[in-house]
Amino acid sequence: MQTVWQQRLSQQHKHRPNDNRSPWQVDRSRIIHAAAFRRLQAKTQIMSIGVNDFYRTRLTHSLEVSQIGSGLLRHLKIQNPEFLHFPSTSLIETLCLAHDIGHPPFGHGGETALNYLMKDNGGFEGNAQTLRIVSKLEPYSKGFGMNLTRRTLLGFVKYPGIIDTMWFNKPIHDTNQRFIKANDWLPVKGVYRCDQDVFDWIISPFSATDQSLLQQHQAIDKYRCKTQFKSLDCAIMELADDIAYAVHDLEDAIATDTLTHADWTQYAEPKLAALCSPWLKQNLPQLTQRLFSRDEALRKDAIGELVNLFIVHSALATQSPDFESPLLRYSVTLEAEFAQILSILKVFVFERLIREPKMQQIEFSGQNLLIDLFRALASDPMRLLPYTAQEQYQLAQTENMQMRILADYLSAMTDEHARRTHKRLFASE
């Protein structure tokens, strides 16, 4: 019998004789065969596409997140055999595989650019775009995207609040200045106002109390608020993403000499050594030796050990006892010792890799390329947009929705597609 969490926005009846898949397995199939998922192979993870064939893309990153997510779920189920509300493996894999499909070309530079361009029309944010793609844009079903189950959609809602309600003091950009200041235009994380109908449908099975608590948010700077809670399924996916970011992206950087042994010993190792961690006291020297060994097998072994370390020290925890639904009351957490280790690795990757000036210059270039494209297309959309996007633009009844069509079109581009389009529009030869 179908439960409320297995329901879909559109109750389609597909001709699939003898299809014995669960609803969650159907959802995973729809993700794997979606164009939005395939495009991840040509979108930047951290390092630019095409510079070196070793670098992880958004696609290989998502595959690794899926593998880690299923490992976390397996561990949690073994540790909590009495808990009956865990998601299925297929559901977690679905969330992990698709968690990044809303990210635009050029990583966070592209996200910042589109958020600035959409500042008066609802903003832009990668997680909000993911929900929009799976619930409305992907052409599996007309108007309902991939038409996934309600529980799967709930897992994609990483920040359960409407963006318009949490961007309380928008920055002001001096139009005499050609370039924007990226930190001012970091996106508010949430759900677009134009997709509130989907969001309301997703959370409708929860009590009024749970719905209100789930959407609680607080200010994090002078511009933005951030929500405080998410579902259990989403929390498992997020932890898997954090582990992949801190460990596998670190491996990329070491293997390509982007992060050196000197960087590690100067910036990461002292912070790790300062922790009150029995595991590090016993293992840090040999971990360092293996990570920076010329023997690739030793480095791979160290990376695998770190991933396993975080998985086996995860635990089911109460997010807030005030929630009535177990899907919201519980979350996943890391033991304090290992949460600190993960945090140091994440900060190391962020500060010494992502914020490295050459990386930021590449991100800056992509950011401004998208701004050029958006402004060009917005100047004469019925001349420059492809036919399918022109049709959508004509059907849009407000300026807000017309601008959203432009953001949908540009954010779906791969890095190379965006570069080729920019060259056609602006190259002198």
Side-chain angles (χ1 to χ4, degrees), residues 407-420:
D408 289 342
Y409 173 64
L410 287 174
S411 65
M413 287 182 170
T414 63
D415 294 24
E416 183 57 29
H417 184 190
R419 287 194 183 96
R420 289 199 310 268

Side-chain angles (χ1 to χ4, degrees), residues 83-96:
F83 187 75
L84 303 178
H85 305 284
F86 283 121
S88 72
T89 300
S90 297
L91 196 160
I92 281 298
E93 289 177 347
T94 299
L95 298 179
C96 293

Side-chain angles (χ1 to χ4, degrees), residues 33 93 152 168 190 224 257 270 288 360-361 388 404 417:
H33 294 287
E93 289 177 347
T152 297
F168 57 87
R224 310 165 190 86
D257 294 322
T288 297
Q360 285 301 300
Q361 289 169 11
T388 53
R404 183 61 61 193
H417 184 190

